[in-house]
Amino acid sequence: MPKSAIDQDALIEMFASASAKQTAQLREAVSQATLKALQGREMSLKNIKQVIKAVTEATSTGALQNVTPKVDVEAMLNGAMAGMDDALLKAVEANRVALERLVDQGVDLQEKQLKKALGDLEKLEDTMFDTIRKASGGADMSQLAGPWGEVLGKFEQNGSLTGAQATATLENLTNQMQTAVRETRAASLKAAQTLAQSYAALVSGVLMGMSDALQQGGEEEESAPKSPSRPGAKSSRRSAG
């Protein structure tokens, strides 16, 4: 079995034999199985859908096979739903860390790949709900339509951990980006002011240098010895005339 694949048989067996008191264990098992599958794949909505679909189908199949007395099927499905939510919550956290690092390095959130990542993050909760609804809506699972409907309804009404964290992440990243833009602008303004001050000082220095050069040239001209007149120059002209 590939590293990224889900052991559906193990999940089916677990749900088929679970007692009414094992919902916490079911939640943990689903969370671990979902997380393991996600870790072995590229974090895209397509792959997330595949994983959630496989987990939902295994959960439903196992729940239908369970003949344990007084078993609470809705509680089992709620545990499965919570387990998938727990795993996707970690996926959101992984996205947050990666995106914040890119923003810290100056990457614009409007860049094509980052923009898509933010869009996928925003759609994550709806993707989870829609995938579970479709995966649990098969004709062979009609007996679970009621329990699954109740579970999904509660999660959609109250919101998932995944959705809440995704929303918070998007808000924080937007604020972080705005802060980075403000800091960049402030740094640019400071650099411009420093440059302006340096420019003024540079001009002053050049001007002083020019003034010193002119003054030094004048002093040299005043101190330079005058050329003596040649004796007999005029008489020679007269005599020549």
Side-chain angles (χ1 to χ4, degrees), residues 69-88:
K70 298 182 180 181
V71 66
D72 188 341
V73 174
E74 185 178 321
M76 291 171 61
L77 299 181
N78 189 76
M81 181 86 187
M84 287 183 272
D85 190 20
D86 291 341
L88 289 184

Side-chain angles (χ1 to χ4, degrees), residues 35-227:
L35 186 60
K36 183 178 179 182
L38 291 174
Q39 288 172 336
R41 302 169 188 247
E42 180 184 349
M43 197 61 64
S44 66
L45 285 182
K46 179 182 177 181
N47 287 333
I48 289 172
K49 286 179 182 179
Q50 290 176 347
V51 171
I52 297 300
K53 180 176 182 291
V55 172
T56 302
E57 290 175 345
T59 296
S60 300
T61 300
L64 285 172
Q65 294 177 6
N66 192 301
V67 293
T68 306
K70 298 182 180 181
V71 66
D72 188 341
V73 174
E74 185 178 321
M76 291 171 61
L77 299 181
N78 189 76
M81 181 86 187
M84 287 183 272
D85 190 20
D86 291 341
L88 289 184
L89 180 63
K90 291 182 173 64
V92 172
E93 181 65 12
N95 271 281
R96 181 192 65 78
V97 171
L99 288 168
E100 284 187 352
R101 286 179 181 174
L102 291 174
V103 172
D104 285 341
Q105 292 171 8
V107 179
D108 192 339
L109 291 178
Q110 295 302 311
E111 291 288 339
K112 184 177 179 180
Q113 289 182 325
L114 266 68
K115 201 170 182 179
K116 182 181 183 305
L118 292 174
D120 287 352
L121 201 58
E122 192 173 12
K123 299 173 186 174
L124 198 50
E125 183 183 60
D126 288 339
T127 297
M128 177 175 66
F129 290 153
D130 291 343
T131 303
I132 292 174
R133 182 174 288 105
K134 290 176 182 177
S136 62
D140 55 341
M141 298 180 186
S142 58
Q143 297 177 45
L144 297 179
W148 266 124
E150 288 293 325
V151 171
L152 281 166
K154 290 176 182 177
F155 267 84
E156 287 176 325
Q157 181 178 358
N158 299 325
S160 66
L161 296 175
T162 296
Q165 183 63 25
T167 300
T169 297
L170 290 169
E171 290 176 354
N172 289 338
L173 284 169
T174 300
N175 292 336
Q176 184 179 349
M177 190 67 196
Q178 290 173 345
T179 300
V181 169
R182 286 195 296 268
E183 289 177 350
T184 300
R185 287 175 180 169
S188 299
L189 179 60
K190 185 176 181 180
Q193 291 172 341
T194 302
L195 180 61
Q197 292 169 358
S198 299
Y199 177 74
L202 177 62
V203 173
S204 178
V206 171
L207 185 59
M208 288 176 65
M210 291 172 62
S211 178
D212 290 344
L214 289 171
Q215 185 176 356
Q216 185 176 359
E219 291 175 352
E220 289 178 353
E221 186 175 341
E222 290 178 1
S223 61
K226 295 181 180 180
S227 302

